Amino acid sequence: MANKVVKKQSSKSELTSLAEKIRQRALERLSASDTSTKDSDGKADEADESEEEVEASEEKEVEEKEEEVEFESFGELKLVPELLEACATLKFTKPTPIQAAAIPPALQGKDIIGLAQTGSGKTAAFAIPILNQLWHDQQPYYACVMAPTRELAQQIKETFDSLGGAMGVRSVCIVGGMNMIDQARDLMRKPHVIIATPGRLMDHLENTKGFSLRKLRYLVMDEADRLLDMEFGPVLDRILKVIPSQGRTTYLFSATMTSKIDKLQRASLTNPVKCAVSTKYQTVETLIQTLMVVPGGLKNTFLIYLLNEFLGKTVIVFTRTKANAERISTLCNLLEFSATALHGDLNQNQRTGALDLFKAGRRAILVATDVAARGLDIPSVDIVINYDIPVDSKSYIHRVGRTARAGRSGKSISLVSQYDLELILRIEDVLGRKLPKESVDKGAILALRDTVDKANGEVVMELNRRSKEKAARGKGRNHRTKSRENMDREEQ
Ligand SMILES: Nc1ncnc2c1ncn2[C@@H]1O[C@H](COP(=O)(O)OP(=O)(O)OP(=O)(O)O)[C@@H](O)[C@H]1O
């Protein structure tokens, strides 16, 4: 954990001195014109990174698996010894409920729709049956897993590697933002499992000689509802055209799943079994969710107040826009809360670097857009703060699901301004309950306000300056690659 300069305060005099300290530090740093701890392009893009609205219609389309089966150990699932060993090494003692529900029908060769809460072990629920089959029938390009973001694809690869390493499984991660030629070389090494974002996978299917998925046996869509959305749909349709429909097993997994028949048809499932472990869109019991009503113009101050309250904890702050993520992260650093940003305006090395810094505990705060909302498994996230309320409820579920994972506890706080009331009501509706309000120390807020506002003003000016510089540098540059890169829509 990065060194802490601010301590949790309570009395009024202490608060004033806290504000004074922060102000002092801000002034010192501003005069040194150093407003960020990392390289950033400061692009002021207000593009909305949210997902589409939750589907209201509940159409019945697949057979549901009713009975809940409990297994005391993975041994009862009759897996190959190498997989049992890997589970033991990973300290997976018994299957989680989604694993207990999905693995048996998957081992029988069924198509699966897996629906379970965030952090409940869905990755292993689809990786284990694939690896078990692969052991009996080791072939190149055996399975392909698609994920909506690069970071999630990388994480899924790590799960396949740790579960399949002992049986010699080779996997490759094919995502946007990385070198095509290196990836083509990796593909030529005939890996068994390909984990990919859709745009880049399509690129290789079209352009990499000798690479095809004609013999593919398993197709997995993780965060399937997102992949089946409009934005990925056309690329997905093209991918599905060039992989076999006969003899292919398909798994769809997510914590929130579309129930629209046309979308599910896009995935070309054959008599799927729906393994739904909890009812729709539930969050885990170990997660405490609250909200904080924030008067207009005080959002930044409330955020800094909260970060100070949670000093020493690991926090993800979610924003709706890339520009906000960059601004908040810079603001935090200026006020000496160690933060890093993760959003689609960063190049892939910066994105990977940011996540690694956070995972390693070298930054206590990750300020991210929804690019980090789905799937990322960082076990030590204590708190999720919604700086901006997501415009759809699904996104809320995925964001708060970054904490309280695998049975741990966690907390989420949503900052609600007068503009967000409707959004929060919709979220509460989906959750089926009201979110309790956090109390706030008004004295602390008042004491912090000037310092935070001033620092924020400086940050905005600095980011604008960088943005102009970048625009000037970028003028006349060739943007040929842009349209293709845009197919990895997680960047948007
Ligand atoms: N059987 C098990 N026993 C103990 N821990 C497990 C087991 N299966 C998975 N885990 C751990 O639980 C954590 C969450 O798993 P995973 O990332 O697959 O969740 P998820 O359901 O995909 O979440 P999300 O919906 O957010 O993507 C991981 O750290 C994983 O290693």
Side-chain angles (χ1 to χ4, degrees):
M1 198 67 57
N3 41 329
K4 301 287 170 262
V5 267
V6 189
K7 296 220 164 55
K8 190 168 169 176
Q9 308 285 311
S10 51
S11 77
K12 200 172 172 200
S13 61
E14 278 172 324
L15 283 167
T16 317
S17 80
L18 163 69
E20 191 46 50
K21 266 192 208 159
I22 291 182
R23 181 180 302 121
Q24 201 52 46
R25 280 200 304 268
L27 287 172
E28 280 165 21
R29 305 203 72 198
L30 286 171
S31 60
S33 297
D34 176 17
T35 55
S36 172
T37 57
K38 72 170 182 50
D39 183 34
S40 137
D41 51 21
K43 194 171 161 190
D45 181 352
E46 289 297 322
D48 189 341
E49 300 205 355
S50 65
E51 296 166 30
E52 72 168 22
E53 199 43 57
V54 177
E55 289 82 15
S57 70
E58 268 298 286
E59 296 167 84
K60 283 262 173 247
E61 72 295 321
V62 284
E63 170 200 341
E64 296 212 12
K65 193 166 176 291
E66 293 290 345
E67 82 274 22
E68 284 216 356
V69 204
E70 276 243 13
F71 291 98
E72 283 312 311
S73 74
F74 278 96
E76 292 172 49
L77 292 172
K78 309 225 169 3
L79 304 172
V80 297
E82 285 78 0
L83 262 178
L84 289 176
E85 258 171 53
C87 288
T89 310
L90 291 171
K91 306 226 163 21
F92 293 1
T93 44
K94 64 182 236 181
T96 65
I98 183 65
Q99 291 161 2
I103 294 174
L107 290 175
Q108 288 167 16
K110 303 258 198 232
D111 281 5
I112 304 284
I113 297 179
L115 183 60
Q117 293 153 326
T118 50
S120 58
K122 292 188 286 295
T123 318
F126 61 73
I128 287 174
I130 292 175
L131 290 169
N132 201 70
Q133 280 315 106
L134 183 59
W135 193 85
H136 296 291
D137 180 21
Q138 295 219 357
Q139 282 187 35
Y141 310 144
Y142 191 76
C144 175
V145 182
M146 280 195 276
T149 71
R150 300 163 181 185
E151 287 75 12
L152 179 55
Q154 182 56 38
Q155 187 183 288
I156 296 168
K157 174 182 163 33
E158 284 158 21
T159 302
F160 269 94
D161 290 348
S162 46
L163 282 167
M167 44 197 266
V169 167
R170 289 192 308 275
S171 73
V172 65
C173 188
I174 298 294
V175 297
M178 303 301 270
N179 187 295
M180 277 285 286
I181 295 168
D182 290 348
Q183 289 178 344
R185 203 177 305 131
D186 288 346
L187 286 170
M188 286 309 100
R189 293 196 181 112
K190 310 256 184 255
H192 303 108
V193 184
I194 297 162
I195 301 103
T197 48
R200 185 52 72 92
L201 180 67
M202 192 64 227
D203 250 355
H204 282 287
L205 285 168
E206 284 177 352
N207 300 314
T208 300
K209 285 212 170 69
F211 170 56
S212 103
L213 290 180
R214 277 194 301 272
K215 298 217 165 116
L216 189 77
R217 300 290 302 280
Y218 284 89
L219 177 70
V220 183
M221 293 184 209
D222 195 17
E223 307 299 340
D225 56 334
R226 179 102 163 97
L227 288 176
L228 296 167
D229 276 354
M230 272 311 290
E231 58 174 344
F232 284 108
V235 185
L236 218 63
D237 289 344
R238 283 164 63 201
I239 293 172
L240 287 164
K241 262 196 201 132
V242 295
I243 58 179
S245 48
Q246 296 284 313
R248 182 195 89 205
T249 307
T250 307
Y251 301 156
L252 308 189
F253 276 80
S254 187
T256 53
M257 189 70 81
T258 182
S259 57
K260 295 227 169 116
I261 290 173
D262 54 343
K263 281 196 186 179
L264 288 169
Q265 270 171 350
R266 176 168 266 153
S268 321
L269 296 152
T270 313
N271 303 324
V273 180
K274 183 171 173 182
C275 305
V277 159
S278 58
T279 54
K280 212 180 149 214
Y281 304 168
Q282 262 182 6
T283 44
V284 290
E285 279 158 21
T286 49
L287 170 67
I288 299 167
Q289 301 170 72
T290 64
L291 58 81
M292 210 167 217
V293 180
V294 182
L298 282 177
K299 234 177 173 186
N300 296 327
T301 312
F302 271 70
L303 177 69
I304 297 297
Y305 164 84
L306 282 175
L307 293 177
N308 194 54
E309 288 288 300
F310 294 127
L311 214 57
K313 305 235 186 255
T314 320
V315 184
I316 300 186
V317 178
F318 278 107
T319 66
R320 204 178 295 154
T321 65
K322 296 174 245 184
N324 261 358
E326 196 57 45
R327 180 179 59 78
I328 297 292
S329 155
T330 312
L331 177 67
C332 287
N333 282 310
L334 180 63
L335 297 175
E336 298 212 352
F337 293 92
S338 81
T340 186
L342 177 62
H343 57 76
D345 268 350
L346 301 175
N347 67 36
Q348 194 50 42
N349 283 341
Q350 289 171 317
R351 278 166 66 158
T352 309
L355 201 55
D356 287 349
L357 278 177
F358 183 63
K359 277 186 174 169
R362 290 173 56 208
R363 295 287 183 280
I365 303 160
L366 180 74
V367 188
T369 56
D370 281 316
V371 77
R374 280 183 180 252
L376 287 193
D377 182 46
I378 307 162
S380 61
V381 178
D382 301 309
I383 315 281
V384 168
I385 299 177
N386 283 316
Y387 176 84
D388 295 315
I389 304 297
V391 293
D392 66 288
S393 318
K394 270 192 196 176
S395 192
Y396 174 89
I397 303 281
H398 287 279
R399 283 181 181 190
V400 299
R402 293 320 96 209
T403 183
R405 297 179 68 77
R408 295 181 192 86
S409 58
K411 177 163 186 168
S412 74
I413 302 180
S414 299
L415 300 185
V416 181
S417 73
Q418 68 267 38
Y419 308 110
D420 305 316
L421 291 177
E422 202 188 318
L423 294 176
I424 207 77
L425 283 176
R426 257 195 265 159
I427 289 166
E428 287 180 333
D429 206 37
V430 166
L431 293 171
R433 63 198 160 90
K434 289 251 159 238
L435 295 177
K437 278 188 198 141
E438 286 275 337
S439 59
V440 60
D441 181 343
K442 286 188 184 139
I445 297 287
L446 284 176
L448 281 173
R449 183 180 186 169
D450 282 353
T451 308
V452 176
D453 283 352
K454 181 153 192 313
N456 187 54
E458 296 293 340
V459 168
V460 169
M461 267 168 34
E462 171 63 16
L463 294 180
N464 281 342
R465 186 185 63 74
R466 285 188 210 167
S467 170
K468 277 186 195 141
E469 258 179 32
K470 193 184 172 210
R473 276 201 311 270
K475 249 188 199 160
R477 237 185 235 164
N478 185 348
H479 292 296
R480 260 181 313 132
T481 53
K482 189 123 190 178
S483 62
R484 181 58 83 182
E485 282 299 302
N486 277 350
M487 286 168 68
D488 280 318
R489 290 302 305 270
E490 76 275 14
E491 282 188 298
Q492 297 308 295

